Structure formats: structure tokens, C-alpha cells
Amino acid sequence: MEKKVQHYYKLKAKHKEIEKELAELRQEIVAYCAAQGETDTVIGSYRVKLVTQNRKEYDDEKLYNTLADPQVWRLLSRADPAKVASLAKLKVIAEDKLTDTYTVKEVTLLQVEKQ
């Protein structure tokens, strides 16, 4: 079991290194595309696409104050955008009450496909 734990530890450390390297490469690729004014381009034999998304970031305090029922807050426990969206879709929370409880953050996603 010690070997398995040791192997797990080494893989986890390698995973952190890979995540860091991916983040750096992503940043460089996004910067390159932005400098070129491209959101969809071919580089060598790879297609690089930048996709912009808007994500809601809820303010815990504002959201808590908006929810009349403390039982609903217990379902969330914190302002998780996916959970809030689900509760709004199920009409547990009225969509119009949520209007001032979040800010919209623009996020750029990077997609790379081999052609």
C-alpha cells in the first residue's frame, strides 16, 4: 500500500506541474490570437478557436438577502452558479429576484483540435 500511496503522491505532483504548464501555454496562445485579432485560426495542423462565454458570479450576501426562505439557502450553502441556475429553472427561486445578486464575467475558452 505504501507504494500505491507514494505513486499517487508522485502523480498528484506531476498533475500540478502539468496544470501549471497548460495554464501558461493557454495564456500564451490566447495572447497570440488576441494580438493577431483572430478567434478562429489554423496554426500548423491545428485549429485554434477562442470562445467567449459570460458567467454569473453571485454575491453570497446579496443572494442570501434575496431568498425569503432560509431552507432554500440551505440547499445552496453557498452561491454555486449551477445550483442557483437549477433552482431558478425549477422555479424554486424567481428569476427576477436574482437580477441584482450577480455580476457577469466574460471568460475566454480555448479549444484546440487536430485537423
Side-chain angles (χ1 to χ4, degrees):
M1 183 50 79
E2 184 179 344
K3 285 185 178 185
K4 288 183 181 187
V5 172
Q6 180 184 24
H7 186 62
Y8 179 87
Y9 179 82
K10 287 180 181 178
L11 286 174
K12 203 68 168 151
K14 201 181 287 187
H15 183 266
K16 285 182 184 178
E17 289 175 31
I18 291 170
E19 288 291 328
K20 183 181 176 193
E21 188 175 351
L22 281 170
E24 290 169 359
L25 289 170
R26 180 193 176 286
Q27 189 175 24
E28 289 177 27
I29 294 167
V30 169
Y32 172 83
C33 289
Q36 301 296 315
E38 297 284 341
T39 57
D40 193 345
T41 187
V42 174
I43 300 173
S45 60
Y46 297 90
R47 181 174 179 207
V48 177
K49 229 167 112 173
L50 299 181
V51 180
T52 303
Q53 283 186 346
N54 292 322
R55 293 189 181 161
K56 293 178 181 178
E57 291 188 347
Y58 290 93
D59 181 300
D60 285 351
E61 188 175 330
K62 288 180 181 178
L63 184 61
Y64 178 77
N65 292 335
T66 299
L67 301 175
D69 186 356
Q71 296 292 340
V72 175
W73 180 252
R74 284 194 204 112
L75 291 173
L76 294 171
S77 73
R78 65 178 181 81
D80 179 335
K83 288 181 181 178
V84 174
S86 294
L87 290 172
K89 189 174 183 178
L90 293 170
K91 304 214 184 302
V92 173
I93 304 171
E95 192 72 49
D96 59 334
K97 284 189 173 184
L98 297 174
T99 307
D100 296 326
T101 63
Y102 61 87
T103 56
V104 177
K105 178 181 177 184
E106 192 173 276
V107 179
T108 302
L109 303 177
L110 173 63
Q111 298 175 347
V112 176
E113 301 170 354
K114 184 139 174 96
Q115 289 194 314

